Amino acid sequence: MGLLSGALILCGGIGKRIGLNKALIKISDKPLLLHVVEKMIGSVDELVVSIGMKDNPTRYSEMLPEDVKVINDKISGKGPLAGIISGMNSMSSRYTAVFPCDSPFLHEEVLKFMFDNARGFDAAIPRWPNGYLEPLHAVYKVSSALSAAKNVGIKTRWSVIDMIMRLNKVVYLDTVEIKKLDPELLTFFNINKKEDLKVAAEIIGR
């Protein structure tokens, strides 16, 4: 039997809007990726970082704890789904949280809440009141997600949503409930532009 819980952090994006490799940007003298890893490492049994197909793993592994696995995407230019497929194929966990490398304020109680609700389902995905999903801040059953992802991309847009539509049992987690654990919903804060870096530094400064 594989490990029970894992975390997959996606670092394969180019960061076009910010013009930099977001995973390696420093906030408060610490790379953004390391902020995310440190939030997760005590809460899961296995932690994998998925990076671009042609990226150098050493750039990441030298700054991370030694038990964090860094793997290259096996598919190039296909967005987050490529990272999910590559990362999950390298994991032993039954369930894994999937998060981007630019969300440094994951709340550990929110992570636990998602894992608890994912048991018996193919995925536990946060959903805003307007129906918007957070598929890259979610927990998936690894075998189900990989099975659902097999045919995505043949006739579709390589979309994570297309993968989710192929899952049989999904539980959607109301962000109103998540707000009870994370009042500012900072779990979902991510960095898309340089102004967001300033906001992140201010939050850390608190």
Side-chain angles (χ1 to χ4, degrees):
M1 181 180 292
L3 299 170
L4 179 60
S5 64
L8 172 59
I9 301 174
L10 304 175
C11 298
I14 299 172
K16 291 180 181 178
R17 281 181 285 181
I18 201 167
L20 299 165
N21 182 332
K22 289 193 281 187
L24 304 178
I25 294 173
K26 288 191 175 181
I27 300 178
S28 297
D29 296 321
K30 187 186 298 184
L32 186 51
L33 172 59
L34 189 55
H35 283 280
V36 182
V37 166
E38 288 180 346
K39 288 287 187 180
M40 287 187 161
I41 200 163
S43 302
V44 296
D45 302 304
E46 177 184 33
L47 209 160
V48 173
V49 172
S50 176
I51 63 174
M53 188 175 188
K54 298 180 180 180
D55 210 344
N56 180 3
T58 305
R59 291 204 298 168
Y60 301 85
S61 58
E62 65 186 10
M63 70 176 179
L64 297 172
E66 61 181 14
D67 54 347
V68 177
K69 186 191 303 182
V70 179
I71 63 107
N72 289 93
D73 290 351
K74 302 299 186 290
I75 311 162
S76 179
K78 297 299 184 181
L81 186 61
I84 289 173
I85 294 171
S86 300
M88 287 185 179
N89 270 319
S90 74
M91 301 183 80
S92 301
S93 302
R94 290 181 61 202
Y95 289 87
T96 187
V98 172
F99 270 75
C101 67
D102 63 347
S103 291
F105 303 119
L106 166 67
H107 197 291
E108 292 169 18
E109 286 299 315
V110 173
L111 185 64
K112 182 178 184 299
F113 176 73
M114 290 195 291
F115 272 114
D116 288 345
N117 280 276
R119 304 291 185 247
F121 289 88
D122 295 324
I125 304 172
R127 180 170 61 187
W128 294 85
N130 64 1
Y132 180 81
L133 301 180
E134 293 284 357
L136 300 184
H137 296 76
V139 169
Y140 296 90
K141 186 176 181 180
V142 172
S143 59
S144 299
L146 284 174
S147 178
K150 281 182 180 177
N151 296 319
V152 173
I154 296 175
K155 295 183 179 179
T156 64
R157 304 170 286 126
W158 280 90
S159 164
V160 178
I161 296 296
D162 288 328
M163 180 191 76
I164 291 168
M165 291 175 62
R166 288 167 166 76
L167 297 173
N168 293 319
K169 295 174 65 179
V170 177
V171 59
Y172 294 102
L173 308 176
D174 196 326
T175 54
V176 174
E177 292 300 310
I178 293 174
K179 195 171 185 177
K180 295 176 183 177
L181 303 171
D182 180 5
E184 296 181 82
L185 292 175
L186 291 177
T187 292
F188 305 114
F189 177 92
N190 66 330
I191 292 169
N192 289 314
K193 50 188 184 294
K194 291 182 179 179
E195 289 79 2
D196 295 332
L197 293 171
K198 297 178 182 178
V199 174
E202 291 172 0
I203 294 169
I204 291 171
R206 293 191 225 156

